[in-house]
Structure formats: C-alpha cells, structure tokens
Amino acid sequence: MEANASVDMFSKVLENQLLQTTKLVEEHLDSEIQKLDQMDEDELERLKEKRLEALKKAQQQKQEWLSKGHGEYREIPSERDFFQEVKESKKVVCHFYRDSTFRCKILDRHLVILSKKHLETKFLKLNVEKAPFLCERLRIKVIPTLALVKDGKTQDFVVGFSDLGNTDDFTTETLEWRLGCSDILNYSTPGLPVHHQLPEFTQTHVHQ
C-alpha cells in the first residue's frame, strides 16, 4: 500500500509539473515572437552575432569537458581517484555500487545514457568495497547510492530508488528529472527558459 501511494504521489507531482511547464512554454514563445516582430535589421544582426559567439564558447566548453573525462560513464579504482575527479569538475555524479546488488545494474543502464547526453556533468562509479573510508565519511549505508558533488562538496544523495517512484522500472527521464532538481545537471523541457526550470528538490537524508 505504501509503495502504491508513493508511486501515485510521484505521478501527480510529474503531471502537475508538466501542466505548469506547458503553460510557461506557451507564454515564453508568445513573448519571443513579439520581441522578434519589433526588431529592426541592425538588432537582428547583433542578435545573430551574439548567438554565433555563444556557439563558439559552447564548443570550447565541450572540448574542455571531454578532456576531463566527461561524456562517458567511468569506473574509478579507488577513493583517492574520487577526490581527484571531483576536484577537476564542477558537477559530478558518483554511483556507489556493489557487484552483487541487482539495482546497481539498473542504475548503470540509465547513467550510461545520461553521461552521453549531459556533458556538463561527470558520471562515475565506485565499488563500495574499495572505498570504506569514503562510505563512512559520507554515511553511505544503502546501496545503490548516488552522491551528487558540486564544486568539490557533496550537496545531495539519491538513496536507493525512493526518489524514483520506488520501482525498478523508472525511466531515464525520471532519474534525469531527479538529478536536475539538485542542479547537478542541466535539466530542461524544450522551449522552457532557464529561469523557469524546476525548483530545487528537498532531500531529507542529505549528510553534510
């Protein structure tokens, strides 16, 4: 009963979020169309130049991320490597896993997909048996656990599947949404402006 109630609540949250998002997208598009209609040729040319410059910077940023190991889901061999990896990148998701835990393999499949989609975030995995000190320091007791690290500090955790609808059949987008709520990746709905993105997720079992 509790699991069903949790899934129902989770579905209602997503449904309400989708309705709000659709309304905001429509309002944003109407606003953008109105702005373009009011622009003269010089203003349109300046807008074009700004967008070309932004594309150039985005490409440079992409190359920098790739050079630091972004764009793939990698296993790191030890806790020492963990500290080095989080020092190099602004946003890191680290999956603390155990080979014998079936749910870790489920997470692996989704994280492979997200690592290729979200180059702004580094995706790692670390075997808990090789990281006893780190697990104790971060108070990791449930496997799998995702540690969400921003600017070298652990900001949040996704513990088990409780935030993912309490089901093994959650979608990649559900996990993407959850990570986006902690601002550990750039989650957005197409057409939705940045200042209308999802609110910060309140996690009750975050350990500082």
Side-chain angles (χ1 to χ4, degrees):
M1 289 295 292
E2 289 183 5
N4 289 335
S6 178
V7 172
D8 289 342
M9 182 177 71
F10 185 77
S11 298
K12 287 178 181 178
V13 169
L14 285 179
E15 183 179 351
N16 289 335
Q17 185 63 51
L18 182 60
L19 290 172
Q20 293 174 24
T21 298
T22 301
K23 182 180 179 182
L24 290 171
V25 168
E26 291 175 350
E27 292 174 354
H28 177 64
L29 287 175
D30 289 342
S31 174
E32 290 299 307
I33 291 171
Q34 186 176 6
K35 287 179 184 177
L36 287 173
D37 287 341
Q38 294 172 350
M39 283 185 175
D40 59 29
E41 289 187 12
D42 288 341
E43 288 175 321
L44 287 170
E45 187 62 30
R46 285 195 294 272
L47 179 62
K48 180 181 177 181
E49 290 174 0
K50 284 177 64 177
R51 289 186 174 175
L52 286 173
E53 182 63 26
L55 285 172
K56 183 179 177 181
K57 288 182 178 179
Q59 185 61 28
Q60 291 172 343
Q61 178 67 81
K62 178 182 177 181
Q63 292 305 317
E64 181 183 343
W65 283 329
L66 291 174
S67 71
K68 293 180 178 179
H70 294 227
E72 59 180 337
Y73 178 46
R74 297 181 290 117
E75 179 160 8
I76 52 177
S78 69
E79 25 190 34
R80 180 178 298 178
D81 294 276
F82 172 86
F83 292 110
Q84 183 60 38
E85 293 279 1
V86 300
K87 188 186 299 181
E88 289 178 355
S89 299
K90 181 179 177 65
K91 297 180 178 182
V92 179
V93 173
C94 187
H95 174 199
F96 286 84
Y97 81 98
R98 185 182 290 115
D99 282 325
S100 59
T101 303
F102 174 71
R103 281 188 159 186
C104 292
K105 294 177 175 59
I106 295 175
L107 261 185
D108 282 341
R109 294 199 299 269
H110 295 293
L111 292 171
V112 166
I113 295 170
L114 291 178
S115 68
K116 298 180 187 305
K117 181 177 180 180
H118 290 278
L119 296 184
E120 74 278 5
T121 303
K122 180 183 287 183
F123 288 83
L124 306 171
K125 63 186 296 188
L126 177 58
N127 191 324
V128 294
E129 294 174 2
K130 297 179 180 179
F133 166 75
L134 192 55
C135 288
E136 182 177 352
R137 177 174 172 178
L138 298 179
R139 302 178 191 173
I140 292 174
K141 301 183 184 303
V142 176
I143 303 300
T145 286
L146 297 181
L148 313 184
V149 186
K150 192 173 180 182
D151 295 321
K153 297 180 180 179
T154 306
Q155 302 282 353
D156 199 358
F157 296 89
V158 179
V159 180
F161 290 177
S162 59
D163 295 341
L164 305 171
N166 262 335
T167 173
D168 291 352
D169 299 323
F170 65 88
T171 64
T172 301
E173 186 175 18
T174 299
L175 177 57
E176 183 181 24
W177 170 82
R178 172 62 185 88
L179 297 177
C181 288
S182 293
D183 193 32
I184 206 68
L185 53 74
N186 299 335
Y187 179 84
S188 63
T189 302
L192 188 64
V194 174
H195 60 280
H196 284 315
Q197 295 310 322
L198 294 173
E200 185 176 351
F201 192 92
T202 302
Q203 176 64 271
T204 58
H205 38 245
V206 173
H207 307 297
Q208 299 298 334

